[in-house]
Amino acid sequence: MRVSVFGLGYVGCVSAACLASMGHEVIGVDVNQAKVDLVNDGKAPVVEERIGELTAEVVRTGALRATRDVREAIMGSEVSLICVGTPSEPNGSLCTTYLERVTEEIGSALAERGGRHTVVFRSTMLPGTCLNLLLPILEKYVGGTAGVGWADVGVAVNPEFLREGTSVRDFFDPPKTVIGELDPASGDAVTALYDGLPGEVFRVPVPTAEAIKYADNAFHGLKIGFANELGAVCQALGVDSHQVMDVFLADRKLNVSPAYLRPGFAFGGSCLPKDLRSLVHAAQRADVSVPILAHVLPSNSAHLQRAVELVERTGKRRVGLFGLSFKPGTDDLRESPLVELAERLFGKGYDLKIYDANVSLSRLIGANREYIETRLPHLGQLLADSVGEVLEHAEVCLVGTRDPAVLSALPHGDRPVIVDLIHLPDAEARRAEPGYVGLAW
């Protein structure tokens, strides 16, 4: 394919050279004449493993050249990759100035060009940037409306997962390829660019593709911060943190795995909250600052509060709650987030009915009963004997259990309002219903 790459920084330079080495005919575009001259001389404008030799080779064979002329690049290519920078503004917001400027220039050039052309945004940008900001700019300069008056213009978002220092290696052996497609033809064009590369290809809606890069980087930062904080606590307590992490990382079932990484309701139980509090307290006693670990429980509480606010927004007062124990298949109510949720709703004066097949007040004993008598002493008058009793009572139903009897009885439509805390099996089908609200999806 004939490809133009806008922005010859790390991402653009590596993408241009690697695509050229795969057999594509590539034109690099940059406003900086020095970068353009370097590329045309067969030299990479960035320092990176393997990029120097690769750039020299593809320039020598004629597969890669560079220019400052946007129109020349657009006229000579079928696909444009936008790799300009999106730095932070002083207040932390995303700077989209360079994205907007290059989109205007590409749109103006496309207005003169005939034939199919796909504009692919590879720069990191927040969800909504493409559809709400860049697409209208492109429409304005090209003319017409997306899918109607400019059917020959494709648009896609294709985030990169290149690490500085190993970016050439990462390009040829990617962890995944993500394509946010405005339409299937746009996705087909991007897919063809990477034909032959390993890794799974995900073709998703445009905003999803934009969000994935942020999910990755936020988690990477979280992992590094977690490891460093834990290391600092271990050192203060006289423990070898690397031995701890060696054992931690060997657990591929719960630790280094998909476990606990699906958005849902708050966590609870007799272990997680208690152990987090103990670890943070030990760090404080040792004068070790652990802002990540110290904010896990407040974050959990804030997530629980979102469920309360979803109920408040309905303006309704009769509430049903399905589920009470902290985990399916148990009657353990200790530090259950559903008990906390019931307590908050009851305290706000909501007329509450609760059903959990595993919880019977007469069977609660020991620490379980002591906990519930302290936190929710009125539980006896709130518990219902059946799913139907809750449904008959409630204008709003919060679903915090996957009990088959509950799931099969949940109605569709707008009454009662279903507040989904667990991502119901039919959540996707329910999204279009006026009476369905998901907590975090």
Side-chain angles (χ1 to χ4, degrees):
M1 298 176 70
R2 294 177 300 147
V3 184
S4 52
V5 177
F6 287 80
L8 293 174
Y10 272 93
V11 173
C13 179
V14 170
S15 297
C18 291
L19 286 169
S21 74
M22 292 174 66
H24 300 292
E25 182 182 329
V26 183
I27 307 173
V29 187
D30 203 284
V31 296
N32 188 324
Q33 186 64 50
K35 289 185 178 182
V36 170
D37 292 341
L38 280 170
V39 170
N40 286 331
D41 288 340
K43 300 174 183 176
V46 299
V47 177
E48 181 75 12
E49 182 183 291
R50 291 179 57 192
I51 193 61
E53 310 92 275
L54 194 62
T55 301
E57 175 63 19
V58 293
V59 170
R60 184 187 64 78
T61 62
L64 172 64
R65 63 186 178 88
T67 181
R68 290 183 61 191
D69 191 330
V70 173
R71 185 179 180 279
E72 174 193 355
I74 292 297
M75 295 301 175
S77 60
E78 306 156 81
V79 176
S80 293
L81 260 60
I82 316 305
C83 302
V84 299
T86 51
S88 289
E89 297 284 16
N91 66 356
S93 64
L94 189 73
C95 174
T96 59
T97 301
Y98 307 118
L99 275 173
E100 294 174 58
R101 186 179 303 156
V102 75
T103 302
E104 292 172 0
E105 293 172 343
I106 289 172
S108 296
L110 285 174
E112 303 177 38
R113 187 190 188 282
R116 177 78 181 180
H117 191 95
T118 305
V119 179
V120 184
F121 293 99
R122 199 154 164 78
S123 303
T124 300
M125 52 192 186
L126 289 165
T129 305
C130 181
L131 297 184
N132 299 333
L133 176 64
L134 303 178
L135 191 60
I137 292 174
L138 207 54
E139 290 173 0
K140 174 184 174 182
Y141 281 84
V142 173
T145 304
V148 181
W150 64 326
D152 285 335
V153 177
V155 175
V157 168
N158 172 224
E160 47 81 22
F161 305 99
L162 308 176
R163 298 166 295 172
E164 289 191 25
T166 60
S167 57
V168 174
R169 190 191 322 158
D170 290 342
F171 184 96
F172 290 119
D173 187 18
K176 56 186 174 287
T177 297
V178 177
I179 303 167
E181 54 189 27
L182 188 65
D183 54 69
S186 300
D188 290 343
V190 183
T191 302
L193 280 179
Y194 305 113
D195 186 41
L197 292 183
E200 191 169 355
V201 177
F202 297 90
R203 295 177 63 163
V204 297
V206 167
T208 301
E210 291 169 312
I212 285 168
K213 180 64 180 290
Y214 285 93
D216 280 23
N217 281 349
F219 190 50
H220 297 163
L222 181 63
K223 288 199 294 184
I224 293 168
F226 167 77
N228 289 339
E229 285 193 5
L230 193 64
V233 175
C234 286
Q235 184 180 43
L237 299 179
V239 177
D240 185 332
S241 64
H242 281 262
Q243 284 187 345
V244 171
M245 292 308 291
D246 284 344
V247 178
F248 173 87
L249 293 170
D251 182 347
R252 302 304 175 98
K253 184 176 182 180
L254 298 179
N255 293 345
V256 187
S257 75
Y260 309 124
L261 281 173
R262 293 290 184 184
F265 194 42
F267 65 78
S270 60
C271 295
L272 285 184
K274 171 182 70 71
D275 293 346
L276 274 164
R277 279 193 291 267
S278 296
L279 183 61
V280 171
H281 180 69
Q284 291 169 341
R285 288 189 62 186
D287 290 328
V288 176
S289 175
V290 286
I292 293 175
L293 294 172
H295 283 84
V296 174
L297 285 173
S299 172
N300 194 52
S301 180
H303 191 58
L304 192 152
Q305 181 60 26
R306 292 183 188 111
V308 176
E309 291 167 359
L310 289 178
V311 176
E312 291 175 337
R313 286 179 204 149
T314 68
K316 303 180 187 303
R317 303 302 301 177
R318 294 199 311 276
V319 177
L321 174 61
F322 290 114
L324 197 62
S325 62
F326 93 94
K327 185 182 289 188
T330 175
D331 67 350
D332 195 344
L333 303 178
R334 290 172 294 173
E335 298 212 43
S336 166
L338 291 168
V339 170
E340 173 70 19
L341 176 59
E343 184 181 10
R344 293 190 191 188
L345 292 170
F346 186 77
K348 287 177 174 288
Y350 286 94
D351 185 359
L352 185 63
K353 284 285 184 185
I354 304 170
Y355 177 77
D356 187 322
N358 293 314
V359 176
S360 169
L361 196 61
S362 63
R363 294 202 308 264
L364 294 180
I365 60 174
N368 219 4
R369 188 177 188 90
E370 181 181 341
Y371 180 78
I372 206 65
E373 287 177 348
T374 302
R375 301 304 299 267
L376 201 60
H378 303 288
L379 180 63
Q381 60 187 270
L382 303 179
L383 284 176
D385 293 325
S386 67
V387 176
E389 184 181 345
V390 174
L391 289 174
E392 186 178 343
H393 163 83
E395 299 170 291
V396 182
C397 280
L398 296 113
V399 185
T401 177
R402 294 185 180 276
D403 181 347
V406 173
L407 300 186
S408 63
L410 291 177
H412 291 265
D414 57 355
R415 295 182 184 179
V417 175
I418 302 296
V419 179
D420 182 0
L421 305 179
I422 58 167
H423 199 261
L424 292 167
D426 60 350
E428 295 304 319
R430 286 181 177 271
R431 282 179 189 269
E433 297 177 2
Y436 173 82
V437 183
L439 177 59
W441 39 88

